[in-house]
Amino acid sequence: MKLKKKYFILVLLLFISIGFAVLTSNLGINGIASFTDASFDVHFENAKVEDKNIDDGSITINSGDVSITSTGTFEKPGDYIDTSFYVMNSGTMDASLNALSVSGLTTELKNYFTYTLKYDIGGSDVVRGDFLRAGQGRKINLHIEYKYDVEQLATVSNLNLTITMNYINPKKTVSDTVWNYEYTGGEQYFIVNKSGNYKLETWGAQGGGFIYEEDDYIGGYGGYSKGEINLTRNQVVYINVGGSGTLCLIQNMSGGYNGGGDCSIYPYSIATHLYASGGGATHIAKVSGLLSELESYKGTLSNDSFYSSNDIIIVSAGGGGSGYYGSIETSEIRSGLGGAGGGYIGNDDYNFNIIGDPNWINSVKPAGATQTVGGRSLYKQPPSDYVVGVDGTFGQGGGINSTRKTAACGGGGGFFGGSGNRMIGGTGGSGYIANPSLFNKIMYCYNCQSSENEEDETNIKTRSTTNVSETPTSNYAKIGDGFVRITYLGK
C-alpha cells in the first residue's frame, strides 16, 4: 500500500436536529387520539466519545444538538472514532423518525471514509420510520473510520459530516375516524381510541419492473384485503406496510419491506440479464414483528384449505418482480412479468415466454402462493435436473438461490410468499382474511383466481379485478408501495 502523505488532518462534525410537531389538547394523531395536555419532547443527552485511535477529539451538547468535533490526525487507514449519544422521548406521545439524511460525505470522500449509525442494543441500523415510544430512550452509536483498503490518501483536508434526524409525532391525515398509514420501512401501530367496529383495508406492494427495448416489464401489482373487526379502547394493533420491489441492474437488491424476495444478478458476457425484486406484504396483527417472524402465530389448519389465526388479523399480498434473459450467442429469450399479489392464491408469472431451449420450453411453470404453502419455483424437466428458483415460505417471497448462485427475480411477500425465479418473473404472494374475528371480509387482486366456485369461501373470499391505482382505492390492486387505512364504523 502506498500513502502519499504521512498523516491526514480531519475535522468531523455531527449535527443532529429534532423536528417538533405542533400539538394541542384533544388532537387525534395517526391512531393516537384524544390526548389531554399531551406533550411532545424528544431530545438528545449523554453524548460522549467511546473509543478512538486518533489524537484529540471532543464532544459537546448545545441546545439539544449533539456536536462531535475532532481536529486530530488520521495517520493511517483503519484509524477511527466511536461516539455515542441517547435519543430520549420524555413526552407523553410516541415519536417516529420521519427523516434521516447525511450530507458532507461526497463521492470522493466515500472512497476513503465509512460510517455506521446503529442502536446499541441489537446493533440494528438507524432507519427512517423507527419508533420511539413515550418514556423510551435509545442509545445510538456512531462509528467513523478511515478505510483499510485505500491506496492513497485523500486530497482534501477537511470532512464535515452532517447527519440530520427529524422526529415527529405520527401524523393523522384524514379525520378523527379515519387513520392512514403509508410505507415507512418500519413497524407502525394503532392505539384504539374508542371501542367499536373498525374497517381494516390493506394494500400490498408492487413487485419491481423495468423497461427494455421499449417493452414495459411491469412488476406484479399488490393485492387488496378488507375486513371489519371489533376493537376495544386502548387495544394496540401493529402495522407493517409493504415496500415495492426494485430492479437489480448492477448488484443484488433486497426485496420490498415485509417479505419481498431479493433479486440477484450474474455477470454473463453473452446475455442480457434484468431481474427485479418482489414487493412486500402489508399486514395488521395483534403481535409485533415482520410477517415472516410470526409463523408461530399463524394458527391451526382448517380442512386443509386455510389457517385460522387469532393474532394475525389481515394480510394483503405483494407482487413478484419481473425478469428478462436474452442470450446473444444462442438467441434464446426467457422473460416474464411478475405475478400479482393474490387473494387466497397468488398469481403465476404473466406472459411466461421461453424461446429456444426445448428443455426450458417443457419446463414446469412456477406457481403463486396459496393459503398453506409458498409459491413453487420454475424447474426443467425432469424436476430433479435443475431447480432454478427459490420457493416462497411463510411471510417471505423466494429470492436468491444460494446453492446454484443463479440470477433470479424475487417473489412477492404474503401470508405465504411467492416464488423467486430465474430468467422469468417471480410469482405473487397470498393474502389472508381467515382471522375468526373478521367479518364482511373480501380480497381483490389483479387478474387473479377467484374463489366464487369454492364450496366455502367465507375465509378465502377473493374477486378478480383489472382495476389498479397508485392511490389506495377500495377493491383496486395497488401500484407502488403498500398502504393501510383504518376506519371507525361506530359501536
Side-chain angles (χ1 to χ4, degrees), residues 187 238 240 258 283 287-291 293-294:
E187 187 170 74
Y238 298 89
N240 283 270
N258 204 21
H283 80 274
V287 288
S288 174
L290 295 172
L291 189 55
E293 300 169 347
L294 305 183

Side-chain angles (χ1 to χ4, degrees), residues 24 43 49 99 122 158 167 190 207 238 257 300 310 367 385:
T24 59
H43 62 277
V49 175
N158 293 287
Y167 284 86
F190 171 70
Y238 298 89
Y257 176 79
T300 57
N310 289 310
D385 180 34

